Amino acid sequence: MNPEFWQTRWQEKRIGFNQSEVNPSLIKYFSDLELPTGSRVLVPLCGKSIDMVWLAAQGYGVVGIELVESAIREFFVEQAIAYTITEHSKNANIKCYQGQLLGQTIELWVADIFTLDSNNIGHIDAGYDRAALIAMPTEWRPQYSQQVIDLSQNAPQLLLTLNYDQNEWAGPPFSISHEQIQQYYSARYNIHELEGEPSVLNAAPEMAVTEHVWLLNKP
């Protein structure tokens, strides 16, 4: 799955992963992170998620990272947020779109997530991963999970995953097992499963799917 795969998905508007309403698990469980108002929340592979609007409405700054620039532009246009664009001084493929919503800064980076570091995005207080880990093929996930840990300097995370028979659907989104969660995160976090409930995969609605909500806290 190269960058062109996601560019094509957005160009063709095949973005079933983009929800029209705020994710219920975000509303239900984000307070478990116990963040003070004004904290900065990292949203990897953010697309144009409306979840970022909800985070700003709760009093949190948002730092998103997204490979597809058109997704970020659509976010600011659809939310009627004025924005500025800053280009990276050393990498022409990296830009930062920034605007204000409800008194909070929304800072969305156009970049391959693996090209950024914590010096680029600044201090992060927590992470919210709804559709990033499950978008990564198996061979990329160890590097991805470590990159988010490094970018956030081991900040706590609220993580959503799906679990299903991968033989029935090739993905993305990909199935993530409990054992894989332990593999990716147990060295740096205490892992708490907050919920595991039946869900539906839009691309294969007849398939049995469970959505899991994880709280990753520093030991």
Side-chain angles (χ1 to χ4, degrees), residues 49-100:
S49 174
I50 198 171
D51 291 351
M52 296 187 288
V53 174
W54 184 89
L55 288 167
Q58 309 312 303
Y60 302 117
V62 175
V63 180
I65 302 172
E66 171 56 50
L67 182 67
V68 181
E69 186 170 5
S70 63
I72 290 179
R73 284 199 303 267
E74 288 178 24
F75 172 82
F76 283 103
V77 170
E78 291 175 6
Q79 303 304 326
I81 302 171
Y83 60 87
T84 60
I85 304 174
T86 304
E87 296 188 358
H88 194 280
S89 60
K90 297 181 180 179
N91 188 333
N93 294 319
I94 298 177
K95 300 177 184 177
C96 181
Y97 283 60
Q98 188 174 102
Q100 294 285 323

Side-chain angles (χ1 to χ4, degrees), residues 5-214:
F5 173 88
W6 294 109
Q7 297 282 357
T8 300
R9 289 286 293 264
W10 279 94
Q11 289 171 3
E12 297 177 352
K13 305 300 182 184
R14 293 189 294 120
I15 52 173
F17 48 83
N18 184 69
Q19 298 178 333
S20 60
E21 298 182 357
V22 178
N23 189 282
S25 295
L26 173 64
I27 297 171
K28 185 176 181 179
Y29 292 112
F30 196 77
S31 61
D32 286 29
L33 289 167
E34 299 181 343
L35 296 179
T37 300
S39 297
R40 300 177 82 232
V41 179
L42 177 66
V43 184
L45 281 61
C46 61
K48 59 175 183 178
S49 174
I50 198 171
D51 291 351
M52 296 187 288
V53 174
W54 184 89
L55 288 167
Q58 309 312 303
Y60 302 117
V62 175
V63 180
I65 302 172
E66 171 56 50
L67 182 67
V68 181
E69 186 170 5
S70 63
I72 290 179
R73 284 199 303 267
E74 288 178 24
F75 172 82
F76 283 103
V77 170
E78 291 175 6
Q79 303 304 326
I81 302 171
Y83 60 87
T84 60
I85 304 174
T86 304
E87 296 188 358
H88 194 280
S89 60
K90 297 181 180 179
N91 188 333
N93 294 319
I94 298 177
K95 300 177 184 177
C96 181
Y97 283 60
Q98 188 174 102
Q100 294 285 323
L101 179 63
L102 302 172
Q104 299 298 322
T105 299
I106 295 184
E107 182 180 299
L108 305 186
W109 289 80
V110 181
D112 178 332
I113 191 170
F114 298 111
T115 65
L116 295 175
D117 60 38
S118 59
N119 292 323
N120 298 130
I121 65 175
H123 178 75
I124 297 295
D125 296 293
Y128 168 58
D129 183 337
R130 181 191 74 80
L133 182 66
I134 61 175
M136 295 284 171
T138 304
E139 63 271 20
W140 291 7
R141 286 181 215 142
Q143 181 186 0
Y144 164 77
S145 57
Q146 185 59 53
Q147 175 68 351
V148 172
I149 290 169
D150 292 343
L151 286 172
S152 68
Q153 299 177 311
N154 205 41
Q157 296 185 46
L158 185 68
L159 170 67
L160 278 60
T161 60
L162 300 175
N163 196 346
Y164 61 87
D165 185 350
Q166 193 78 80
N167 294 318
E168 295 186 25
W169 176 256
F174 297 104
S175 178
I176 311 289
S177 69
H178 287 59
E179 292 76 18
Q180 287 170 320
I181 292 294
Q182 294 292 327
Q183 174 190 343
Y184 304 145
Y185 296 106
S186 62
R188 302 295 293 273
Y189 292 107
N190 291 326
I191 300 171
H192 309 278
E193 184 177 3
L194 301 178
E195 183 175 289
E197 295 290 338
S199 185
V200 175
L201 192 63
N202 292 336
E206 73 288 348
M207 190 170 60
V209 179
T210 305
E211 182 179 76
H212 297 271
V213 182
W214 308 90

